[in-house]
Amino acid sequence: MQTKLWRELLTPYYAAVDELMIKFNHITKTYYDSGKYSPIELVEGRVKKISSILEKAQKKNISIEEIEENIKDIAGIRIICQFVEDIVSVVEIIRNRDDMKVLEERDYVTHSKESGYRSYHLIIEYELYMIDVPKKIKVEIQIRTLAMNFWGIIEHSLQYKYRGKMPEHISTRLLAAADAILMLDKEMSSVRDEILDAQHYMRQTDSIISEILNNIQNLYGVANKREIEKIQDEFYSIYEKNDLDKLERFCDELDVIAEGYRAQSMQEEM
Ligand code: 0O2
């Protein structure tokens, strides 16, 4: 196929990957903005290289004309989660969306591949508008934990290096590493609540601190310097105690002070 035709073929796939990455990142942001834990930790996307498309087509005996129909992972999204439980939540989110139609599901999380590979795969159909005509694009979504991803990346590079002729001692070690990854994910799941509590605490602390600092900064325009210094000293002494309740109370008090100054400056302007 000529370069120009490849570009025509691949352009919608690039657009689909861009749109889907925005959508999944938006889901994560929505969770964070509402102070909730997000089952999505990280989103990656790629369009398969022409050489890899040709290699796969050759391996599966697919003609150039059949590529779009039969190679389902030209566009690929990878969603990385912290815990195995999150994979189920992400699959549920995708199943419930109207803009992504699930065509196929492969659960390599419960039934790992012979290599030891674990991940949850969905093939979805995504409707894309290039200018005015809708086009249905197949996209492969791989959902896996951080640990599964680590293993997958390492194993993939070794597969690439040995091109299907992986020495047995290496595949044996990779299988042992896959077992260790399985154990790691189980261990992490067993302390999931503890980890989630800690992360929630950190997120809340971060958001209160940024609200306090924002209020202090705004006071610079309206309050006198001595009072601001006093407020700052008080903030530092509460901050050092690492006590979320005290920080919250301080933040509320500061809100009242800031509101008072705002009302005062509005009266002065009138
Ligand atoms: P790349 O370079 O990542 O794009 P089939 O089951 O053969 O009909 P297919 O497409 O091979 O069809 O489906 P499968 O098995 O679900 O694999 C799709 C993708 O999952 C692969 O794409 C890999 O990205 C990943 N994958 C599957 N098996 C393994 C594995 O054993 N190790 C690793 N590291 N990744 C795996 P590509 O096109 O093979 O590669």
Side-chain angles (χ1 to χ4, degrees), residues 1-9 50 64:
M1 207 191 302
Q2 290 167 3
T3 315
K4 185 171 169 281
L5 293 180
W6 274 112
R7 203 178 303 133
E8 262 170 41
L9 175 89
I50 297 174
I64 299 280

mmCIF file of all heavy atoms in Angstrom, residues 1-9 50 64:
data_model
loop_
_atom_site.group_PDB
_atom_site.id
_atom_site.type_symbol
_atom_site.label_atom_id
_atom_site.label_comp_id
_atom_site.label_asym_id
_atom_site.label_seq_id
_atom_site.Cartn_x
_atom_site.Cartn_y
_atom_site.Cartn_z
ATOM 1 N N MET A 1 0.846 -1.197 0.000
ATOM 2 C CA MET A 1 0.000 0.000 0.000
ATOM 3 C C MET A 1 0.882 1.249 0.000
ATOM 4 O O MET A 1 1.912 1.270 0.670
ATOM 5 C CB MET A 1 -0.887 0.003 1.256
ATOM 6 C CG MET A 1 -2.169 0.758 1.041
ATOM 7 S SD MET A 1 -3.118 1.091 2.542
ATOM 8 C CE MET A 1 -3.426 -0.494 3.233
ATOM 9 N N GLN A 2 0.441 2.272 -0.738
ATOM 10 C CA GLN A 2 1.255 3.493 -0.778
ATOM 11 C C GLN A 2 1.155 4.245 0.560
ATOM 12 O O GLN A 2 0.160 4.141 1.268
ATOM 13 C CB GLN A 2 0.721 4.424 -1.863
ATOM 14 C CG GLN A 2 0.958 3.914 -3.262
ATOM 15 C CD GLN A 2 0.126 4.702 -4.260
ATOM 16 O OE1 GLN A 2 -0.574 5.641 -3.898
ATOM 17 N NE2 GLN A 2 0.198 4.299 -5.513
ATOM 18 N N THR A 3 2.209 5.051 0.821
ATOM 19 C CA THR A 3 2.253 5.796 2.083
ATOM 20 C C THR A 3 0.985 6.623 2.274
ATOM 21 O O THR A 3 0.415 6.697 3.361
ATOM 22 C CB THR A 3 3.479 6.737 2.081
ATOM 23 O OG1 THR A 3 4.573 5.991 1.607
ATOM 24 C CG2 THR A 3 3.757 7.278 3.461
ATOM 25 N N LYS A 4 0.529 7.270 1.157
ATOM 26 C CA LYS A 4 -0.649 8.144 1.245
ATOM 27 C C LYS A 4 -1.870 7.331 1.703
ATOM 28 O O LYS A 4 -2.666 7.782 2.516
ATOM 29 C CB LYS A 4 -0.882 8.781 -0.127
ATOM 30 C CG LYS A 4 -1.987 9.787 -0.142
ATOM 31 C CD LYS A 4 -2.004 10.538 -1.474
ATOM 32 C CE LYS A 4 -3.268 11.355 -1.612
ATOM 33 N NZ LYS A 4 -4.413 10.552 -2.007
ATOM 34 N N LEU A 5 -1.988 6.113 1.174
ATOM 35 C CA LEU A 5 -3.146 5.293 1.527
ATOM 36 C C LEU A 5 -3.060 4.823 2.981
ATOM 37 O O LEU A 5 -4.066 4.736 3.677
ATOM 38 C CB LEU A 5 -3.245 4.098 0.576
ATOM 39 C CG LEU A 5 -3.564 4.493 -0.858
ATOM 40 C CD1 LEU A 5 -3.636 3.263 -1.751
ATOM 41 C CD2 LEU A 5 -4.891 5.254 -0.935
ATOM 42 N N TRP A 6 -1.824 4.530 3.432
ATOM 43 C CA TRP A 6 -1.645 4.158 4.837
ATOM 44 C C TRP A 6 -2.095 5.315 5.714
ATOM 45 O O TRP A 6 -2.756 5.125 6.731
ATOM 46 C CB TRP A 6 -0.178 3.827 5.151
ATOM 47 C CG TRP A 6 0.181 2.397 4.869
ATOM 48 C CD1 TRP A 6 1.007 1.931 3.905
ATOM 49 C CD2 TRP A 6 -0.299 1.238 5.576
ATOM 50 N NE1 TRP A 6 1.086 0.555 3.955
ATOM 51 C CE2 TRP A 6 0.290 0.110 4.970
ATOM 52 C CE3 TRP A 6 -1.173 1.042 6.647
ATOM 53 C CZ2 TRP A 6 0.058 -1.196 5.413
ATOM 54 C CZ3 TRP A 6 -1.413 -0.255 7.095
ATOM 55 C CH2 TRP A 6 -0.806 -1.349 6.463
ATOM 56 N N ARG A 7 -1.696 6.544 5.296
ATOM 57 C CA ARG A 7 -2.078 7.712 6.107
ATOM 58 C C ARG A 7 -3.597 7.838 6.171
ATOM 59 O O ARG A 7 -4.172 8.066 7.223
ATOM 60 C CB ARG A 7 -1.442 8.984 5.518
ATOM 61 C CG ARG A 7 -1.330 10.073 6.588
ATOM 62 C CD ARG A 7 -0.664 11.327 6.101
ATOM 63 N NE ARG A 7 0.666 11.128 5.564
ATOM 64 C CZ ARG A 7 1.087 11.651 4.413
ATOM 65 N NH1 ARG A 7 0.272 12.380 3.678
ATOM 66 N NH2 ARG A 7 2.305 11.447 3.992
ATOM 67 N N GLU A 8 -4.247 7.637 5.023
ATOM 68 C CA GLU A 8 -5.720 7.708 4.991
ATOM 69 C C GLU A 8 -6.344 6.651 5.893
ATOM 70 O O GLU A 8 -7.307 6.899 6.598
ATOM 71 C CB GLU A 8 -6.216 7.468 3.566
ATOM 72 C CG GLU A 8 -6.522 8.760 2.838
ATOM 73 C CD GLU A 8 -6.776 8.508 1.371
ATOM 74 O OE1 GLU A 8 -7.452 7.510 1.032
ATOM 75 O OE2 GLU A 8 -6.273 9.306 0.554
ATOM 76 N N LEU A 9 -5.737 5.457 5.851
ATOM 77 C CA LEU A 9 -6.276 4.362 6.660
ATOM 78 C C LEU A 9 -6.103 4.648 8.159
ATOM 79 O O LEU A 9 -7.016 4.414 8.959
ATOM 80 C CB LEU A 9 -5.537 3.049 6.305
ATOM 81 C CG LEU A 9 -5.922 1.845 7.149
ATOM 82 C CD1 LEU A 9 -7.100 1.111 6.537
ATOM 83 C CD2 LEU A 9 -4.759 0.891 7.329
ATOM 84 N N ILE A 50 2.993 0.534 11.222
ATOM 85 C CA ILE A 50 2.665 -0.133 9.950
ATOM 86 C C ILE A 50 3.376 -1.483 9.863
ATOM 87 O O ILE A 50 2.778 -2.498 9.489
ATOM 88 C CB ILE A 50 3.040 0.768 8.741
ATOM 89 C CG1 ILE A 50 2.203 2.039 8.776
ATOM 90 C CG2 ILE A 50 2.832 0.029 7.412
ATOM 91 C CD1 ILE A 50 2.549 3.083 7.728
ATOM 92 N N ILE A 64 -4.472 -7.179 2.594
ATOM 93 C CA ILE A 64 -4.460 -5.739 2.881
ATOM 94 C C ILE A 64 -5.888 -5.188 2.972
ATOM 95 O O ILE A 64 -6.218 -4.391 3.843
ATOM 96 C CB ILE A 64 -3.670 -4.971 1.768
ATOM 97 C CG1 ILE A 64 -2.222 -5.445 1.709
ATOM 98 C CG2 ILE A 64 -3.777 -3.470 1.941
ATOM 99 C CD1 ILE A 64 -1.289 -4.855 2.747
#
